[in-house]
């Protein structure tokens, strides 16, 4: 079968080094103390189960049947030797796959884990959040051996390591290897010998792996064999027969996380398409939530056979959802190409999306606290749907929660907002800002605060986009407080507020005309406004332009400049009124020009920018200060 050269190459045991990342990870596995080491078994069993499901799928697509083949995971304990063995008849690995999968970090979850470790996060905590797959075996074992034969290949290979920097790979005689699949053997550390006790394994499997889709047997000696899991598909069982722990375990199995699901959606759809759904919303944000390359978290099954976990079934704004969708109608041997733009899959995606949104809304009503936790973790992602999925904008707007100027620490819905509109208020006001602190400091809010008008504080990057396209809620349009002429005048101010005198108003109007002249095309207009209370000036976008924050975001991403803003003057501000008086009194025009330039510079500063000509700004400021001090 093999010629001479090949033979000499493939009979030697080679020693290979782990990549630096793996070496670091393993060093930590070997040397740290963990509060929960049980998770290693879940990781190994889940790898064994994945290998069986991949083999089942591969056999099907190759037209070899296989759905009915008896897949099995068997776990053997040897108390005397202090050894634990996990065996599967899945797809197996050849030499190259062992090097690729067990020698470097190919898996994105593990990479993220290592990155977090470098950020100084606590390892034991992180293992709970991520799981680190195969390498977690080194938490409990001094030495790990993996013997495997790839489906359809003649040769078999053995990988062995003590986790200290390197591993060996050697070919093994056919009789020493499984006919197909993988055997993982752990030589347990002295203080973890209890994993060689069948009671321990049974407890751990029942806790973490009870619903693995492949049957599991536990062998403690030749005679002693016990079936631990039937490999049944939990999602096909009636809801009433499943308890909360079973759901949680299954969630942990499909998500690879160790938190509790915040929402569980389980149903069977019949009608035009028949399918079962068991999906979850996590409580903890996955590490790669904003990674554009992130795959969907929902596994596709066809009649209980695993097909793929990277079909995009749900829209991207639900990419935090984890779980299983099992179709009765798709063909088993569906190919990758057929999965794209598949009408059945699209219909299922629509159905599940609708149901998820409806269940989220129900949760929001029944258990607002639980819902707000979901919103805090995933709100910024859900809001992407407001512009990506206009068809579902209304249910999504109903799910949205906001920080507002009058809400303090409470999250407000648009329904709450509309219920509390002020007299004559016809719009939903919002402010786009980089952060809550920047929003709170914005001068644009002053007039709204004075009138008790609520303003939504939108501080997520996605906000600038959806709010520009959303048509409104409950018949009320969205209006940026930094854009267009303020229409606050119709809304009565709180008691005891004094409006500026008419003569002041007209003097400030004259000042506005002067300032416009002085500033030229730096501004598109200068006008008197009642948007402000304590600040003398602010900049706003023109009526038909883009909101200034959106414009800034687009300029950063796509280049291009900003359009000239409108400068607004506050007639109720003493300084503004005094400058207007000076102008009316035909004072030194140079002084007023300095004042005009300084007002504009200050408006820019209030907007978080520098004066457009800092040297000129400084010179004028000094001139005015000198005049005042002289
Ligand atoms: P993952 O989260 O991808 O499972 P692991 O570190 O646990 O990360 O495993 C790395 C890779 O090694 C797997 O993706 C798989 O390709 C391979 N692998 C691990 N265990 C097995 C097994 N029992 N059978 C076949 N392949 C396996």
């Amino acid at each position: 079968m093999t010629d001479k050269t090949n033979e000499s190459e493939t009979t030697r045991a080679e020693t290979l080094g782990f990549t630096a990342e793996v070496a670091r990870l393993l060093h930590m596995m070997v040397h740290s103390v963990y509060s929960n080491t049980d998770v290693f078994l879940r990781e190994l069993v889940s790898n064994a189960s994945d290998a069986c499901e991949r083999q089942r799928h591969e056999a099907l697509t190759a037209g070899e049947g296989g759905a009915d083949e008896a897949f099995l995971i068997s776990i053997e304990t040897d108390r005397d030797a202090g050894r634990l063995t996990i065996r599967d008849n899945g797809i197996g690995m050849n030499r190259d796959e062992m090097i690729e999968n067990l020698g470097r970090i190919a898996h994105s979850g593990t990479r993220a884990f290592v990155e977090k470790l470098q950020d100084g996060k606590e390892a034991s905590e992180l293992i709970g959040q991520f799981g680190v797959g195969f390498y977690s075996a080194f938490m409990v074992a001094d030495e790990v051996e993996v013997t495997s034969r790839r489906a359809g290949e003649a040769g078999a290979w053995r990988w062995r390591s003590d986790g200290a920097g390197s591993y060996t790979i050697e070919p093994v005689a056919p009789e020493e290897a499984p006919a197909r699949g993988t055997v993982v053997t752990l030589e347990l550390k002295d203080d973890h010998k209890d994993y060689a006790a069948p009671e321990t394994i049974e407890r751990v499997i029942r806790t973490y792996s009870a619903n693995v889709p492949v049957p599991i047997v536990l062998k403690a000696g030749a005679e002693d064999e016990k079936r631990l899991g039937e490999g049944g598909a939990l999602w096909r069982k009636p809801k009433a027969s499943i308890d909360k722990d079973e759901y949680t375990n299954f969630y942990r199995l499909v998500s690879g996380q160790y938190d509790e699901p915040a929402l569980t959606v389980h149903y069977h759809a019949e009608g035009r398409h028949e399918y079962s759904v068991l999906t979850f919303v996590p409580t903890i944000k996955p590490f790669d939530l904003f990674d554009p390359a992130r795959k969907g978290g929902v596994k596709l099954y066809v009649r209980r056979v695993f097909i793929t976990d990277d079909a995009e079934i749900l829209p991207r704004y639900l990419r935090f959802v984890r779980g299983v969708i099992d179709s009765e109608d798709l063909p088993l041997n569906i190919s990758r190409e057929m999965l794209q733009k598949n009408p059945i899959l699209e219909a299922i995606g629509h159905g599940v999306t609708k149901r998820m949104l409806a269940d989220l809304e129900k949760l929001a009503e029944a258990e607002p606290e639980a819902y707000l936790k979901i919103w805090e973790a995933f709100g910024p992602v859900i809001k992407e749907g407001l512009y990506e999925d206009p068809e579902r904008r209304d249910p999504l707007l109903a799910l949205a929660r906001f920080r507002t100027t009058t809400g303090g620490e409470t999250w407000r819905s648009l329904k709450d907002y509309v219920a509390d509109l002020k007299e004559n208020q016809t719009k939903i006001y919002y402010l786009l800002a980089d952060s809550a602190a920047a929003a709170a400091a914005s001068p644009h809010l002053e007039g709204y605060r004075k009138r008790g008008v609520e303003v939504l504080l939108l501080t997520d990057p996605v906000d600038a986009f959806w709010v520009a396209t959303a048509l409104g809620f409950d018949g009320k349009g969205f209006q940026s407080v930094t854009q267009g002429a303020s229409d606050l005048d119709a809304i009565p101010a709180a008691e005891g507020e004094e409006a500026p005198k008419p003569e002041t108003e007209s003097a400030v109007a004259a000042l506005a005309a002067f300032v416009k002249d002085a500033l030229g095309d730096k501004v598109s207009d200068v006008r008197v406004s009642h948007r402000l209370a304590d600040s003398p000036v602010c900049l706003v976008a023109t009526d038909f332009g883009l909101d200034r924050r959106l414009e800034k975001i687009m300029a950063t991403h796509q280049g291009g400049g900003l359009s000239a803003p409108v400068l607004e003057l506050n007639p109720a501000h003493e300084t503004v009124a005094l400058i207007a008086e000076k102008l009316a009194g035909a004072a030194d025009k140079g002084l007023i020009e300095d004042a005009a330039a300084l007002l504009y510079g200050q408006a820019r500063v209030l907007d978080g920018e520098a004066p457009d000509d800092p040297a000129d700004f400084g010179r004028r400021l000094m001139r005015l200060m000198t005049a005042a001090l002289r």
Side-chain angles (χ1 to χ4, degrees):
M1 197 173 66
T2 46
D3 63 30
K4 279 255 150 55
T5 45
N6 250 339
E7 205 168 41
S8 67
E9 252 179 36
T10 54
T11 49
R12 264 199 324 255
E14 299 168 77
T15 301
L16 299 165
F18 288 115
T19 61
E21 295 171 291
V22 176
R24 210 175 305 124
L25 179 67
L26 287 176
H27 182 85
M28 188 206 79
M29 287 290 170
V30 172
H31 292 99
S32 307
V33 176
Y34 301 100
S35 51
N36 181 8
T37 47
D38 290 352
V39 295
F40 87 90
L41 189 59
R42 191 199 78 153
E43 299 293 336
L44 297 183
V45 166
S46 139
N47 281 346
S49 162
D50 288 349
C52 291
E53 296 212 287
R54 279 173 56 205
Q55 172 57 21
R56 174 147 54 190
H57 184 230
E58 195 146 292
L60 276 168
T61 39
E64 293 165 14
D68 303 325
E69 204 191 321
F71 286 98
L72 186 70
I73 298 169
S74 98
I75 304 179
E76 292 157 31
T77 51
D78 182 339
R79 215 190 291 246
D80 299 336
R83 185 178 300 140
L84 178 68
T85 306
I86 296 122
R87 196 182 283 273
D88 68 67
N89 56 356
I91 196 161
M93 282 178 278
N94 58 29
R95 178 179 171 279
D96 291 348
E97 286 167 328
M98 280 180 165
I99 294 175
E100 186 59 36
N101 296 328
L102 310 181
R104 41 182 120 222
I105 295 184
H107 175 51
S108 61
T110 313
R111 170 160 304 121
F113 180 91
V114 173
E115 279 162 11
K116 294 258 164 156
L117 271 182
Q118 285 158 353
D119 293 347
K121 292 253 166 56
E122 191 52 42
S124 51
E125 213 174 280
L126 286 171
I127 288 184
Q129 269 183 45
F130 289 128
V132 275
F134 172 76
Y135 302 112
S136 59
F138 288 97
M139 288 197 283
V140 299
D142 291 324
E143 192 181 74
V144 178
E145 192 182 279
V146 181
T147 308
S148 192
R149 190 195 314 258
R150 177 76 158 85
E153 296 187 11
W157 298 87
R158 176 167 294 146
W159 179 103
R160 189 183 286 146
S161 179
D162 60 4
S166 66
Y167 58 94
T168 59
I169 282 199
E170 61 186 320
V172 288
E175 62 277 11
E176 284 180 49
R180 186 192 69 217
T182 303
V183 183
V184 179
T185 307
L186 309 188
E187 302 297 340
L188 296 165
K189 291 183 187 175
D190 283 339
D191 48 349
H192 287 298
K193 294 277 191 231
D194 54 326
Y195 289 115
E199 317 79 81
T200 312
I201 298 304
E202 178 166 358
R203 173 186 61 76
V204 177
I205 293 290
R206 292 207 190 284
T207 310
Y208 291 108
S209 307
N211 277 293
V212 170
V214 177
I216 301 175
V217 296
L218 173 60
K219 293 184 184 169
E223 300 297 295
D224 188 356
E225 189 171 311
K226 186 167 185 179
R227 233 178 153 80
L228 295 186
E230 286 315 309
L234 186 70
W235 59 92
R236 300 279 299 258
K237 292 188 187 153
K239 256 171 126 157
S241 70
I242 305 173
D243 64 23
K244 188 165 170 279
D245 284 349
E246 271 183 288
Y247 277 131
T248 300
N249 282 331
F250 185 75
Y251 160 73
R252 291 176 174 173
L253 179 76
V254 290
S255 68
Q257 296 197 170
Y258 287 80
D259 55 334
E260 299 277 331
L263 176 69
T264 302
V265 176
H266 184 194
Y267 69 102
H268 187 78
E270 277 168 7
R272 222 149 59 81
H273 301 292
E274 190 179 347
Y275 55 91
S276 302
V277 177
L278 176 50
T279 48
F280 305 91
V281 175
T283 31
I284 293 183
K285 241 191 261 191
F287 57 88
D288 55 350
L289 193 57
F290 289 100
D291 180 355
R294 175 173 224 276
K295 292 179 191 167
V298 173
K299 298 186 184 213
L300 176 67
Y301 281 69
V302 170
R303 294 185 287 288
R304 295 178 192 230
V305 176
F306 172 72
I307 304 294
T308 178
D309 56 7
D310 65 1
E312 301 240 342
I313 310 174
L314 296 182
R316 285 192 46 74
Y317 61 87
L318 292 181
R319 61 184 175 275
F320 51 87
V321 172
R322 295 285 174 272
V324 167
I325 295 176
D326 186 358
S327 160
E328 296 295 316
D329 314 321
L330 288 168
L332 268 173
N333 59 353
I334 186 163
S335 66
R336 207 153 266 286
E337 299 71 56
M338 279 169 70
L339 283 170
Q340 278 164 8
K341 296 262 159 228
N342 181 295
I344 298 180
L345 211 53
E346 274 178 16
I348 293 176
H350 276 118
V352 179
T353 302
K354 194 167 160 205
R355 176 64 179 252
M356 294 287 317
L357 298 188
D359 280 17
L360 282 168
E361 199 168 342
K362 274 191 216 150
L363 182 73
E365 285 190 7
E367 296 172 54
E369 292 296 311
Y371 176 72
L372 287 177
K373 289 221 174 74
I374 295 180
W375 184 259
E376 277 170 2
F378 304 114
V381 179
I382 297 174
K383 282 192 283 189
E384 291 173 13
L386 287 169
Y387 69 91
E388 282 175 2
D389 193 357
E391 244 176 82
R392 267 184 264 273
R393 199 180 274 151
D394 288 340
L396 287 168
L397 280 176
L399 288 174
R401 295 291 180 274
F402 301 95
R403 297 292 191 206
T404 73
T405 46
T406 55
E409 287 299 294
T410 48
W411 287 98
R412 301 268 292 165
S413 69
L414 291 174
K415 216 166 124 194
D416 299 334
Y417 184 104
V418 168
D420 290 347
L421 289 184
K422 292 282 160 202
E423 189 186 337
N424 293 339
Q425 184 184 349
T426 55
K427 289 183 179 144
I428 298 172
Y429 294 105
Y430 66 87
L431 171 73
L432 292 167
D434 285 331
S435 64
S442 170
H444 301 89
L445 293 173
E446 293 170 359
Y448 298 83
R449 284 221 173 88
K450 203 167 75 179
R451 290 169 173 78
V453 174
E454 185 168 22
V455 178
L456 308 178
L457 303 175
L458 305 181
T459 53
D460 288 316
V462 27
D463 288 325
F465 298 96
W466 71 260
V467 81
T469 52
L471 299 174
F473 180 84
D474 198 16
K476 315 284 180 294
F478 290 101
Q479 172 69 49
S480 164
V481 300
T482 66
Q483 179 178 22
S486 143
D487 47 7
L488 275 177
D489 293 348
I491 304 173
E495 296 286 313
E497 281 293 337
E498 242 181 86
K501 293 197 207 72
E503 56 269 31
T504 311
E505 290 261 349
S506 57
V508 175
L511 174 64
F514 179 90
V515 174
K516 167 79 187 96
D517 233 31
L519 293 178
D521 51 16
K522 285 182 184 167
V523 289
S524 68
D525 196 12
V526 180
R527 67 186 169 215
V528 181
S529 137
H530 301 120
R531 194 189 310 265
L532 298 162
D534 303 324
S535 301
V537 283
C538 69
L539 291 175
V540 300
T542 56
D543 282 306
F544 304 104
L546 293 173
D547 178 274
R548 285 175 48 75
R549 177 160 160 74
L550 177 59
E551 209 178 38
K552 279 183 206 169
I553 293 175
M554 302 209 338
T556 326
H557 289 288
Q558 300 161 3
L562 301 173
S563 52
V566 176
L567 176 66
E568 294 194 342
L569 306 181
N570 177 8
H573 194 280
E574 194 185 358
T575 314
V576 174
L578 284 172
I579 302 170
E581 223 173 88
K582 278 265 189 269
L583 177 70
D588 173 8
K589 289 286 184 295
L591 184 84
I592 315 275
E593 266 167 25
D594 283 348
L598 289 178
L599 287 175
Y600 172 64
Q602 175 165 9
R604 287 180 59 100
V605 170
L606 287 171
D607 242 17
E609 288 167 50
D612 61 333
D613 183 348
D616 178 70
F617 182 84
R619 249 187 326 268
R620 291 181 192 269
L621 184 60
M622 286 309 108
R623 233 168 18 220
L624 269 188
M625 278 172 69
T626 313
L629 292 168
R630 189 173 277 140

